[in-house]
Amino acid sequence: QWAADHNMHLILDEMYALSVFRNEPVPFQSGLRLWDTLPQNVHIVWGLSKDFCASGLRCASLYTKNEQVKQAVRKFAYFFQTSHPLQHQLAAMLSDREWVSMYVKNMRADLLNSCRIVERVFTAN
């Protein structure tokens, strides 16, 4: 509401949404859960590059109800399209829900393990 009161747009950056490995103090919840109630000035972005360690793929999504933002994005989206072969590969990968679930579970465990190692190093000194 504060952003709307000040005529500002709010961007919910969920690029690391699947990489949340600790649910403290509150578990991560996507802004998409509130989609029906979000006003025109709230936009959500998510991409595969961070959660799937695929920084070179440059594939992301923008969720917005704002027609002006959609029109602006359409004007330059042509130059930044995801190739058809990559779209096909990503669709196949993401449709394998069992693999995605296993991947996210393993990634979160690896992140938590790495975090604990770093914490031990810093707290030991």
Side-chain angles (χ1 to χ4, degrees):
Q1 185 58 47
W2 182 88
D5 290 346
H6 291 83
N7 198 28
M8 297 174 69
H9 290 254
L10 175 65
I11 299 172
L12 304 179
D13 181 347
E14 298 190 1
M15 289 296 181
Y16 288 98
L18 298 177
S19 299
V20 175
F21 58 92
R22 284 187 173 163
N23 289 323
E24 304 165 357
V26 178
F28 171 79
Q29 292 188 16
S30 172
L32 290 173
R33 294 178 69 127
L34 305 170
W35 182 251
D36 293 336
T37 63
L38 293 178
Q40 295 280 319
N41 67 314
V42 178
H43 321 285
I44 303 171
V45 293
W46 179 81
L48 288 117
S49 61
K50 305 300 185 212
D51 286 332
F52 287 93
C53 304
S55 60
L57 297 184
R58 304 282 189 244
C59 184
S61 300
L62 167 68
Y63 298 89
T64 183
K65 295 177 184 178
N66 189 302
E67 288 303 319
Q68 289 179 310
V69 170
K70 288 179 187 178
Q71 288 174 9
V73 169
R74 281 188 198 108
K75 289 181 180 178
F76 67 82
Y78 174 81
F79 299 104
F80 299 99
Q81 292 181 23
T82 303
S83 71
H84 291 284
L86 179 57
Q87 288 180 39
H88 179 72
Q89 289 175 323
L90 292 174
M93 179 182 81
L94 294 174
S95 344
D96 186 344
R97 293 184 183 266
E98 183 178 331
W99 178 86
V100 170
S101 178
M102 179 191 66
Y103 171 83
V104 171
K105 179 181 176 183
N106 291 337
M107 175 194 55
R108 287 178 176 166
D110 290 345
L111 284 170
L112 182 58
N113 185 49
S114 297
C115 181
R116 287 180 175 152
I117 291 169
V118 171
E119 286 174 342
R120 278 196 304 269
V121 169
F122 282 111
T123 55
N125 296 326

